[in-house]
Amino acid sequence: MAHRAEEKERRRQERIAQEEAARKAAARRRTLQVGGGVVLGLVVIAVVAIVALAGGGGSKDKPADASKLAATAKAAGCTFSQFKSEGRNHTASKVTYKTNPPTSGNHNPTPADDGIYRAGNSPPKENFVHTLEHGRIEFQYKPGTPAADVAKLRRLAEEPFNGTAGYHVLLFENNTDMPAQFAATAWTKSITCPTLSTQAIGAMREFRQAFTDKGPEFIP
């Protein structure tokens, strides 16, 4: 047990170090200009900035068509929403978010891990909001959802993206008493659906394609 705890702490420290490096790179890219005589250290910083802007090889270069997404969601009986950022500071305190499910705001310093969470073991909202900041897509369902519907949502979450199954996705049982039966969230955006019809699954898939790796920070 001690070994597992040490390994978990080591991985947590690595994530924190990665996040700090990404924040420093984002701050520096506003003032640093790469020229012919730039030293190697600045070149490395520039590369980090380019990767962050490119979204890790995703579709970052093509902005999402919000009006098209809204129309697709409406046709599926779902609702696509965009919100103003509620902040990005780290805090160890509990946070009250203005959207439900949460889509941005101050958050715990430790992000929730990617992956599939069993019912009753969802990450705290302050941790999964941090993960949204890193460009993840989070699929959520209300407690008591039939297993067959959870399985549908899991199949969607595990679909390949950028050639990788389950790429930068979390799936968990909602723990914020959201009014919607199903939701997919990204940083400052959400799509909510009352059922998982074929059209609703398609709208959520389009949402994932549009907003994966589009958060303020890119963390591999």
Side-chain angles (χ1 to χ4, degrees), residues 12-179:
R12 188 180 76 84
Q13 292 297 334
E14 287 179 352
R15 286 197 301 270
I16 292 173
Q18 288 178 336
E19 293 158 16
E20 184 63 23
R23 280 191 294 275
K24 288 180 179 179
R28 288 174 182 170
R29 70 171 175 257
R30 298 190 189 96
T31 55
L32 294 175
Q33 294 183 342
V34 178
V38 172
V39 296
L40 179 60
L42 297 186
V43 173
V44 172
I45 291 170
V47 171
V48 171
I50 291 169
V51 170
L53 289 170
S59 57
K60 187 84 172 181
D61 56 333
K62 185 177 181 181
D65 187 336
S67 59
K68 181 176 182 296
L69 276 167
T72 299
K74 184 177 181 179
C78 303
T79 301
F80 168 70
S81 302
Q82 299 186 90
F83 310 96
K84 292 183 179 180
S85 172
E86 297 177 32
R88 292 176 53 195
N89 293 329
H90 285 183
T91 178
S93 302
K94 295 294 183 182
V95 181
T96 299
Y97 296 103
K98 296 178 181 179
T99 67
N100 194 7
T103 53
S104 71
N106 297 339
H107 46 260
N108 189 276
T110 303
D113 291 330
D114 298 350
I116 309 299
Y117 291 78
R118 68 178 183 274
N121 195 42
S122 303
K125 63 184 185 300
E126 291 81 12
N127 298 82
F128 70 65
V129 167
H130 190 164
T131 308
L132 290 176
E133 185 185 34
H134 294 174
R136 270 47 174 181
I137 301 298
E138 297 176 349
F139 293 103
Q140 303 180 45
Y141 56 91
K142 289 186 90 169
T145 296
D149 282 336
V150 176
K152 285 183 184 179
L153 204 57
R154 177 167 185 159
R155 285 194 293 272
L156 174 61
E158 291 179 335
E159 287 181 358
F161 185 93
N162 282 353
T164 302
Y167 177 83
H168 287 182
V169 160
L170 287 75
L171 168 66
F172 52 87
E173 181 182 70
N174 176 263
N175 55 10
T176 63
D177 294 323
M178 69 178 184

